[in-house]
Amino acid sequence: MDFQLSDDQRALRSGMRDLLGAVFDRDRLRAAVERDGVLDRSLWRELGAAGFFALRLPEEAGGVGLGLPEAVLLFEEAGRALLPGPLVATHLAAGLVKGAAEGEAVVTAVAGGLPVAHLAEADAVLVGAEPLTGEALTGEALRAFVAAARPVRSVDPLTPLHRAPADAERAPAVSERTRADAERAPAATERTPAHAGRFRVEAALLTAAEQLGSAARTTEAAVQHAGSREQFGSPVGAFQAVKHLCADMLARTEPARAAVYAAAVTGDPVEIAAAKLLADEAAVRNARDCLQIHGGMGFTWEADVHLHLKRAWLRAASWLTGAGAEELLAADLGAAGRLPRSSAAPGRPVPEAGGGG
């Protein structure tokens, strides 16, 4: 099986990189920082017009008709560019919330007990144990929800946060419209039925793709700085300690890329957990190493390195944490180890369920 990107996929990724370079360059990034992360609605509509949110909707429903692997490529580019906003929730709400596919509506979601991003600007918020099968809060219900929430300090200047009311995870009733829209959403995999949290599994994967993009970008920034910055008459990249940091960054990024791309093909929740774990580590540790390579200037507000680190911290706590991913992987390994005796290799004892060692 060939896991190389197709020509169409490469063109899609390149086109998104070009688009973001035109509509969200460094000047617009810094402008977004100065306005405390308030979303640019014109940028949101640009993304909608480009098919970012409707990518996986069927063509007959007004979408592009592509799949999860293609969505991962777009979210990787969004992570590279530090694109702000509830991109994952709005993408997954396409076909469920009116205007989400076109970028006319900003949709956020409640994920466990974590703070909610961009709640004050949202046109809809997805709540409940499985948002794709619940009703999105809009209108008066949304205003009451926002009024009951309280703002909390965010580590990322591009992501304002609110603490949702205590009963936010209570699933609302399912309307006929919502049920029909959910049926048109991308199909669940055999191991990830809709009732088992498909929304959260796909959200974790798309967040991992953003982390991958950030890890790749900080690797490039570190290598570029190491080659141009000189100390004692030589580029700092000539020093062995700096070479090792750059090599470590690449060695974290590429396994994370392989894991994210493979999980996008299979849609397996365990593989997605592994991909999120690797991508989180790559994004956070690469941003730290990039900051280290930049030296004193890396700590300054004018540099962009700290923005990658802060966003990586925030994403690492979103949808699926490291501890949660490790629990999923451990449970899967434990289930694989409990083989029936007839399936055990000759001469090898079958481990008892729950046994360690």
Side-chain angles (χ1 to χ4, degrees), residues 149-160:
R150 60 181 178 84
V152 295
R153 186 174 182 179
S154 175
V155 68
D156 178 17
L158 289 165
T159 310

Side-chain angles (χ1 to χ4, degrees), residues 334-357:
R338 292 192 292 269
L339 298 174
R341 289 191 182 275
S342 59
S343 301
R348 293 183 60 186
V350 178
E352 295 292 335

Side-chain angles (χ1 to χ4, degrees), residues 17-39:
R17 186 173 299 187
D18 291 343
L19 173 66
L20 293 179
V23 302
F24 195 69
D25 57 12
R26 189 178 185 277
D27 289 340
R28 295 198 182 188
L29 169 65
R30 301 308 300 201
V33 172
E34 292 302 320
R35 61 174 182 268
D36 297 323
V38 174
L39 290 179

Side-chain angles (χ1 to χ4, degrees), residues 201-354:
V201 169
E202 292 185 354
L205 177 61
L206 296 178
T207 304
E210 291 183 288
Q211 293 282 63
L212 171 61
S214 180
R217 180 66 190 99
T218 51
T219 301
E220 294 171 6
V223 171
Q224 181 181 18
H225 182 79
S228 60
R229 174 71 171 173
E230 291 192 357
Q231 286 289 345
F232 309 109
S234 299
V236 295
F239 300 107
Q240 190 175 44
V242 176
K243 289 180 182 179
H244 285 178
L245 285 176
C246 292
D248 287 343
M249 293 172 74
L250 183 65
R252 284 190 288 264
T253 301
E254 292 311 309
R257 184 188 307 281
V260 170
Y261 287 5
V265 172
T266 65
D268 186 294
V270 176
E271 294 188 13
I272 288 173
K276 179 69 161 52
L277 197 62
L278 287 172
D280 285 344
E281 180 185 24
V284 171
R285 293 187 62 183
N286 281 15
R288 285 175 170 171
D289 285 351
C290 183
L291 193 148
Q292 182 72 25
I293 290 170
H294 276 72
M297 66 175 292
F299 292 85
T300 63
W301 183 256
E302 290 74 17
D304 295 339
V305 183
H306 70 94
L307 297 176
H308 278 278
L309 179 57
K310 292 170 181 175
R311 185 73 64 85
W313 277 333
L314 200 63
R315 290 195 197 109
S318 301
W319 300 110
L320 182 62
T321 64
E326 288 171 352
E327 288 292 334
L328 277 174
L329 292 168
D332 187 68
L333 288 172
R338 292 192 292 269
L339 298 174
R341 289 191 182 275
S342 59
S343 301
R348 293 183 60 186
V350 178
E352 295 292 335

